[in-house]
Amino acid sequence: METNLVRVLEGQYLDELTSELCDFTLEEQNAATEAQGVKPLAASDYVPIVGKTVTYVVACVIVNDANEVLMMQEAKQSCAGKWYLPAGRMEPGETIVEAGAREVLEETGLKVAITTLLAVETAGGSWFRFVMTGNVIGGELKTPSQADQESIQAKWCQNLSELSLRANDILPIVELARNYRVRSPKDPNWHREILPARKAHYKNYLRVVVAIKNKSTNQVYVLLSEKTAYHFPTVEIHPGRSIHSTLKKFMIELFGADLPQHRPHGVLSVEHHTSGTQANPTDGMCLTLLVICRPSIESVSLIGKCIWHELSKDLTARLAMAVAGKNATFQLHVVR
């Protein structure tokens, strides 16, 4: 399991059948809801399919050496003339990185190499936006004479307040990308360049790395589920609830109603790869989330089939760095 922890800390996929290791499926969540006399919000057989039942959006924040941000002017009738980052919905058959590079080329005329994920944003459990950055490797900046249905034009902008923006939701991620660009590559407060790991999933899953400390010994432990084989606890993301709601209900399954104080720290990895057939696509993904429990391990009890695993000194130090650095993990923005 420590090898698996190293892999997720490095943004790599885990070579396991997530569907067989899922500890709290949507069917089980719905059964628990119905037992309380409440009608479920989603069908138990929900499957994420791009363009039909799930929306994956990409947004690319490209910053040049002059600290200018690549912006595009909208052509859509609903927001024509407004400015925004190159962004848009993923299309069937695309990976997250492919979608990001396509959107930048279509809307700005520039070719980019996506270098890293910066943040994951969610609204409910069936809308996700993946924020990425990268470097220009070719192309020509789109001018008004090249306007089409994708955009009117593109330009580099230093001060976004000078533009009439389509929405201000991009301001925090622009600041994030600018700070990432000027960071020291060896700054432990920042994650390395990590891209979504290419692994196919049939459903959408949230894998949690729950860390806790023994305050008398300073040893760090992570939670492991004993279902079938030892693994990090995993829950199917509920399409009708926020990620925070899915996480809370799952934590209650693991710890009981007397839930220890905890907080989601950030995303460690994203696994996604479109697969299957046109008639039966697999557009699912898996987010691995680092969750920190505040109490000491002695005061926390478990009710699920789980155990605490004590980490080696090297991994304890590595995990401590991920916790200490605000940007050592990918940011998770949950829009309610």
Side-chain angles (χ1 to χ4, degrees):
M1 288 311 301
E2 295 210 350
T3 300
N4 280 352
L5 180 56
V6 170
R7 289 186 66 86
V8 296
L9 288 173
E10 295 180 351
Q12 300 177 22
Y13 69 85
L14 297 190
D15 190 14
E16 58 186 26
L17 291 176
T18 314
S19 58
E20 294 185 2
L21 298 178
C22 183
D23 299 285
F24 200 27
T25 65
L26 184 55
E27 183 177 3
E28 291 168 332
Q29 294 174 56
N30 282 345
T33 298
E34 290 177 324
Q36 297 173 344
V38 180
K39 184 178 179 180
L41 298 174
S44 296
D45 60 354
Y46 167 82
V47 176
I49 301 174
V50 168
K52 294 182 179 179
T53 62
V54 70
T55 300
Y56 296 143
V57 176
V58 291
C60 295
V61 195
I62 310 299
V63 183
N64 64 17
D65 291 338
N67 204 32
E68 296 171 321
V69 180
L70 182 60
M71 300 291 290
M72 52 79 71
Q73 191 173 29
E74 296 280 10
K76 294 192 292 285
Q77 184 175 359
S78 60
C79 52
K82 301 289 186 179
W83 290 85
Y84 206 65
L85 292 172
R89 297 187 179 195
M90 283 175 55
E91 296 178 354
E94 283 186 317
T95 66
I96 296 169
V97 170
E98 289 168 349
R102 174 184 55 77
E103 287 291 346
V104 174
L105 179 61
E106 289 178 349
E107 297 182 344
T108 73
L110 298 181
K111 297 179 180 179
V112 296
I114 304 297
T115 56
T116 191
L117 189 68
L118 291 176
V120 178
E121 302 176 317
T122 76
S126 60
W127 187 96
F128 301 85
R129 184 163 75 169
F130 303 98
V131 180
M132 296 170 284
T133 190
N135 301 312
V136 175
I137 58 173
E140 295 183 359
L141 203 62
K142 181 183 283 189
T143 64
S145 65
Q146 299 167 311
D148 55 22
Q149 63 181 8
E150 300 294 340
S151 64
I152 296 173
Q153 63 175 318
K155 71 176 182 178
W156 293 99
C157 183
Q158 176 72 240
N159 185 0
L160 268 61
S161 65
E162 297 175 351
L163 300 178
S164 177
L165 297 178
R166 189 184 97 189
N168 290 328
D169 64 328
I170 63 172
L171 297 179
I173 57 177
V174 167
E175 181 181 5
L176 177 65
R178 280 174 160 165
N179 290 338
Y180 186 83
R181 185 173 179 83
V182 299
R183 83 201 188 288
S184 167
K186 294 185 178 180
D187 186 346
N189 293 311
W190 281 93
H191 59 79
R192 298 179 298 105
E193 291 185 345
I194 297 177
L195 294 173
R198 295 178 64 145
K199 180 182 177 180
H201 293 274
Y202 185 61
K203 298 289 194 82
N204 280 347
Y205 299 103
L206 181 66
R207 178 192 294 131
V208 292
V209 176
V210 182
I212 197 169
K213 182 181 284 189
N214 183 324
K215 294 182 179 177
S216 62
T217 64
N218 264 348
Q219 289 300 114
V220 174
Y221 298 74
V222 293
L223 191 65
L224 299 181
S225 171
E226 296 182 291
K227 179 181 180 180
T228 309
Y230 285 121
H231 63 278
F232 297 116
T234 304
V235 58
E236 187 177 345
I237 295 174
H238 195 295
R241 299 194 183 112
S242 72
I243 289 287
H244 284 165
S245 177
T246 292
L247 175 63
K248 182 177 180 180
K249 290 181 181 299
F250 186 40
M251 293 290 281
I252 292 173
E253 282 292 308
L254 300 173
F255 294 94
D258 190 18
L259 195 59
Q261 188 178 8
H262 63 281
R263 62 179 175 86
H265 183 76
V267 176
L268 293 172
S269 67
V270 176
E271 298 175 5
H272 170 268
H273 185 57
T274 186
S275 185
T277 64
Q278 185 173 2
N280 188 29
T282 55
D283 291 325
M285 66 169 179
C286 181
L287 303 179
T288 304
L289 184 68
L290 177 59
V291 178
I292 309 301
C293 277
R294 295 185 185 276
S296 183
I297 191 172
E298 304 94 327
S299 61
V300 175
S301 59
L302 300 169
I303 65 169
K305 294 182 178 180
C306 296
I307 62 167
W308 290 111
H309 173 75
E310 182 179 344
L311 295 181
S312 65
K313 289 184 178 180
D314 288 345
L315 263 180
T316 291
R318 190 165 179 178
L319 194 60
M321 289 177 62
V323 173
K326 177 183 176 182
N327 294 297
T329 56
F330 304 126
Q331 292 189 10
L332 176 67
H333 299 155
V334 179
V335 181
R336 296 186 182 279

